Amino acid sequence: MASTPTTPAPAPDGDWLRLDQQICFSLNAASRAFGGIYRVALKDLGLTYPQYLVMLVLWEHGELPVKKLGEHLRLDSGTLSPLLKRLEAAGLVRRERSARDERSVEVRLTEEGTALRERALEVPRRIAAATGVDVGELRELRARLDRLTSALDAAALEETPLRAP
């Protein structure tokens, strides 16, 4: 007599190896979902999500050395350089050696890059609307994620062994 497959019993909430218990998976899934929404919202601007992040920093801070831009975005120069090259080819930014320090490359917006900011003002509204969550909840979520990021950065620096809560 052949045995029939059975459905495994549901794991208790304390089973830390279940996929639905992994915060990293939930964050990754949310990030991928945001990526899809941003892809649509940024299409009219001709920007990818990473390019949009570069533009946000430049709109906020103005001219910056590549190193400082990378610090704001948490990106290394190997990842940032191709982004800047594409933005420069699109006529949105200009890269130039610093007059103060030839080792440093400064990134600044062009007139077109500055003008694009006006068209980009609608993007955050579209993203917020797509979440179905009110602005106050989004701000609280962002604050919690910022605290989580800070805690993880600190743990990585300390090389603290991971312990179950």
Side-chain angles (χ1 to χ4, degrees):
M1 184 176 207
S3 65
T4 57
T6 58
T7 304
D13 284 340
D15 185 349
W16 293 99
L17 295 180
R18 286 180 47 151
L19 183 61
D20 65 359
Q21 295 295 313
Q22 306 304 308
I23 190 166
C24 57
F25 180 76
S26 294
L27 288 169
N28 185 58
S31 179
R32 291 177 58 85
F34 267 112
I37 294 297
Y38 272 101
R39 202 171 3 270
V40 172
L42 296 172
K43 186 176 182 183
D44 292 341
L45 300 179
L47 295 174
T48 64
Y49 178 68
Q51 291 169 343
Y52 174 68
L53 295 179
V54 169
M55 296 301 289
L56 287 174
V57 172
L58 292 173
W59 289 327
E60 181 179 352
H61 297 281
E63 181 179 327
L64 285 173
V66 171
K67 183 177 181 179
K68 197 61 137 169
L69 183 59
E71 289 171 5
H72 282 287
L73 295 169
R74 301 174 64 104
L75 295 174
D76 61 44
S77 62
T79 303
L80 189 54
S81 290
L83 285 171
L84 294 173
K85 187 175 184 178
R86 286 191 293 275
L87 288 170
E88 191 170 34
L92 300 174
V93 302
R94 189 174 317 116
R95 295 180 293 170
E96 296 175 355
R97 290 259 168 230
S98 169
R100 295 179 303 275
D101 180 357
E102 283 190 16
R103 297 170 297 175
S104 179
V105 174
E106 303 279 334
V107 182
R108 70 172 50 94
L109 292 164
T110 62
E111 286 184 35
E112 296 84 25
T114 300
L116 187 61
R117 185 181 187 283
E118 284 301 311
R119 292 180 42 216
L121 288 171
E122 190 60 28
V123 173
R125 290 184 198 103
R126 290 179 68 186
I127 299 303
T131 67
V133 177
D134 75 50
V135 174
E137 287 178 281
L138 287 175
R139 285 187 179 130
E140 176 56 30
L141 176 59
R142 189 187 64 239
R144 286 177 178 225
L145 289 171
D146 289 346
R147 288 192 303 271
L148 175 62
T149 301
S150 293
L152 292 171
D153 284 346
L157 286 174
E158 295 172 10
E159 296 182 355
T160 305
L162 300 176
R163 295 184 198 99

